[in-house]
Amino acid sequence: RLSIITINYNNREGLARTIASVRSQTFNDYEWIVIDGGSTDGSRDLIADNKDLSAFWSSEPDKGIYDAINKGIA
C-alpha cells in the first residue's frame, strides 16, 4: 500500500491541483493523508469537500513544514 502525504498551508490553488491529480489516479492501493496548517484561504473547506479521497486529514496550526510532514508520517 502506498501512502501519499500532502502538507498544505494557505495554498488552496495548489491543493486543488493535488486533489485533481489524486482523483485521476488509476492505481487504487493507496491512502491519502492531508495535513493542513490551519489555513485561512478556504483550503480547509476544500479538503472537507473532498474527504471521500482521504484516509485522514487535519487542519490545525503546526510548527512548520517539518512538523507537518512528521504529523503525516505518524
Side-chain angles (χ1 to χ4, degrees):
R1 180 165 208 160
L2 175 69
S3 295
I4 304 167
I5 302 171
T6 299
I7 58 173
N8 181 70
Y9 181 66
N10 284 334
N11 185 13
R12 188 180 192 285
E13 184 179 317
L15 182 60
R17 288 192 308 267
T18 300
I19 290 169
S21 176
V22 171
R23 282 211 181 274
S24 73
Q25 299 306 306
T26 57
F27 178 79
N28 293 329
D29 194 18
Y30 68 85
E31 64 177 351
W32 186 40
I33 299 165
V34 184
I35 307 297
D36 178 70
S39 294
T40 58
D41 68 343
S43 291
R44 185 184 194 290
D45 294 332
L46 185 60
I47 296 165
D49 290 345
N50 290 279
K51 66 183 174 192
D52 62 301
L53 278 179
S54 62
F56 175 84
W57 70 274
S58 73
S59 180
E60 61 188 17
D62 56 46
K63 298 174 186 165
I65 190 169
Y66 298 108
D67 184 39
I69 198 68
N70 285 331
K71 284 182 181 182
I73 291 168

